[in-house]
Amino acid sequence: MDGFIGMRLAARRPQLLKSLVLIDSSPDREADHSLSRYKRIHKIYRWLGPRWVIPSTMEILFGQKILTDPARANQREDIKRQLASLNRVGVSLAVLGVITRRGIYEELGNIQHSTLVMVGDEGMATMPEKSKRITSKVANSQLVISPVRDIQLQSKNLIR
């Protein structure tokens, strides 16, 4: 959610920031075709707990290179453990914030800060096209699309 908040601060309260880094961020509200799935996953998570939604959540967050690479099996299990241990109320509120947010695309032209926009080439929750849209509207921005094979994920720092 940091990117959602950062874009809004940079566009509306620029004096609060010096620069902006957006990683896997989108200026758009959630697409209609995704909303029903996300709402269903949220309800299951809220009422039955994380165990039932971890596979769906992993598919939303990660591309096939990460989900299927045998060398990343331990990392996937670590991420699953972390997802299972998160605070249910906090996660529920955060998910609601993500799926009900309004878009900010039309305000991106107001951002004057130096902005680094980063995304993985196999981004699932945020496709590289969304990052390209950000850099097309933010004057002082740079886009970095990183191949998954070059990213050393440190899962202990991935989810907090």
Side-chain angles (χ1 to χ4, degrees):
M1 292 182 65
D2 297 350
F4 305 145
I5 295 166
M7 283 184 273
R8 284 159 177 78
L9 284 174
R12 299 173 188 168
R13 303 282 308 273
Q15 70 277 14
L16 297 176
L17 302 175
K18 290 184 179 180
S19 62
L20 184 61
V21 177
L22 302 171
I23 302 172
D24 289 336
S25 296
S26 173
D28 307 309
R29 68 180 192 83
E30 289 300 326
D32 291 336
H33 68 273
S34 299
L35 275 178
S36 61
R37 178 180 185 210
Y38 294 166
K39 287 178 182 178
R40 185 175 56 252
I41 291 169
H42 174 259
K43 281 183 183 179
I44 292 168
Y45 176 82
R46 185 171 173 203
W47 296 108
L48 300 176
R51 182 179 114 178
W52 303 100
V53 299
I54 287 175
S56 299
T57 302
M58 295 287 287
E59 289 175 8
I60 291 168
L61 295 176
F62 302 106
Q64 289 303 303
K65 290 176 189 172
I66 292 174
L67 292 176
T68 60
D69 182 356
R72 294 181 186 254
N74 290 338
Q75 187 177 42
R76 285 190 299 274
E77 292 307 311
D78 187 39
I79 292 169
K80 290 175 187 178
R81 280 190 295 279
Q82 289 179 54
L83 288 170
S85 71
L86 294 173
N87 178 284
R88 245 164 98 172
V89 173
V91 169
S92 182
L93 292 172
V95 168
L96 284 176
V98 169
I99 65 177
T100 61
R101 76 184 186 282
R102 292 188 188 127
I104 189 170
Y105 183 75
E106 58 281 346
E107 295 182 53
L108 292 180
N110 297 336
I111 298 175
Q112 301 302 312
H113 294 85
S114 176
T115 303
L116 176 62
V117 182
M118 300 173 68
V119 67
D121 67 342
E122 202 181 83
M124 298 305 291
T126 304
M127 303 285 187
E129 291 72 30
K130 291 184 180 191
S131 296
K132 291 175 185 175
R133 288 185 72 232
I134 293 171
T135 56
S136 73
K137 287 284 275 192
V138 177
N140 191 16
S141 64
Q142 177 184 354
L143 174 63
V144 174
I145 300 175
S146 183
V148 170
R149 68 182 173 277
D150 293 342
I151 298 173
Q152 288 294 325
L153 291 177
Q154 295 184 10
S155 57
K156 65 183 176 202
N157 297 322
L158 182 65
I159 302 170
R160 292 201 182 202

